[in-house]
């Protein structure tokens, strides 16, 4: 895997910040859950494509509805991104559901259950 250059890292950070603001304040689609966050963004070095990893707090239906809502609003989001950022090319955005936070919470709960069981056995 190729290491990100400093320029690419800066572009990723800036696109993530602006994308979060657009999703939070600009998109009015009712399918998009209010607790939606942009976890990370990977912009290709040629600035043509972008993967946005999205985390949604809610059940599976809310997650799939949010991804569909974001995909349908991709044109609007891309246009807003072009207005806010001064880039040669505005990347085509692909939204990917990121479940790493949910996975971490689940694993923390399992670890807590195991440690609680060990403490009860000692007593």
């Amino acid at each position: 895997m190729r290491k990100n250059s400093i320029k690419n890292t800066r572009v990723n950070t800036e696109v993530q910040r602006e994308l979060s603001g657009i999703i939070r304040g600009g998109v009015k689609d009712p399918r998009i859950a209010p607790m939606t966050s942009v976890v990370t963004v990977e912009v290709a070095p040629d600035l043509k494509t972008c993967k946005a990893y999205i985390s949604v707090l809610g059940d599976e239906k809310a997650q799939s509805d949010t991804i569909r809502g974001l995909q349908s609003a991709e044109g609007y989001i891309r246009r807003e991104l072009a207005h806010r950022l001064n880039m040669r090319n505005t990347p085509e955005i692909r939204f990917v559901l990121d479940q790493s936070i949910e996975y971490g919470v689940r694993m923390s709960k399992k670890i807590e259950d195991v440690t609680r069981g060990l403490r009860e056995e000692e007593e």
Side-chain angles (χ1 to χ4, degrees):
M1 187 170 177
R2 183 173 173 267
K3 191 174 180 181
N4 279 349
S5 67
I6 294 170
K7 176 187 171 198
N8 201 353
T9 303
R10 265 191 272 138
V11 169
N12 289 344
T13 304
E14 197 64 28
V15 169
Q16 178 182 356
R17 191 168 56 79
E18 293 298 334
L19 199 56
S20 294
I22 292 168
I23 290 172
R24 192 176 334 106
V27 182
K28 303 291 187 222
D29 195 327
R31 293 178 288 185
I32 298 173
M35 294 298 288
T36 300
S37 61
V38 181
V39 177
T40 188
V41 171
E42 292 176 359
V43 179
D46 64 355
L47 305 177
K48 298 282 186 190
T49 60
C50 166
K51 279 186 189 176
Y53 293 92
I54 306 295
S55 176
V56 180
L57 186 65
D59 59 350
E60 288 183 25
K61 183 181 181 330
Q63 293 173 349
S64 63
D65 286 348
T66 298
I67 293 296
R68 270 185 293 189
L70 288 172
Q71 288 170 346
S72 70
E74 196 254 338
Y76 169 77
I77 293 170
R78 191 172 176 195
R79 186 173 61 247
E80 283 295 311
L81 202 58
H83 287 300
R84 294 181 184 199
L85 296 177
N86 185 17
M87 293 171 57
R88 179 172 293 164
N89 297 318
T90 304
E92 181 180 324
I93 305 167
R94 205 171 93 225
F95 295 101
V96 179
L97 186 63
D98 183 37
Q99 297 177 328
S100 61
I101 295 172
E102 185 178 325
Y103 177 76
V105 169
R106 242 182 309 138
M107 291 307 290
S108 294
K109 185 178 181 325
K110 288 181 181 181
I111 291 170
E112 179 65 31
D113 291 344
V114 168
T115 56
R116 188 180 313 122
L118 291 174
R119 273 190 250 132
E120 290 174 358
E121 287 178 7
E122 288 176 358
E123 294 174 356

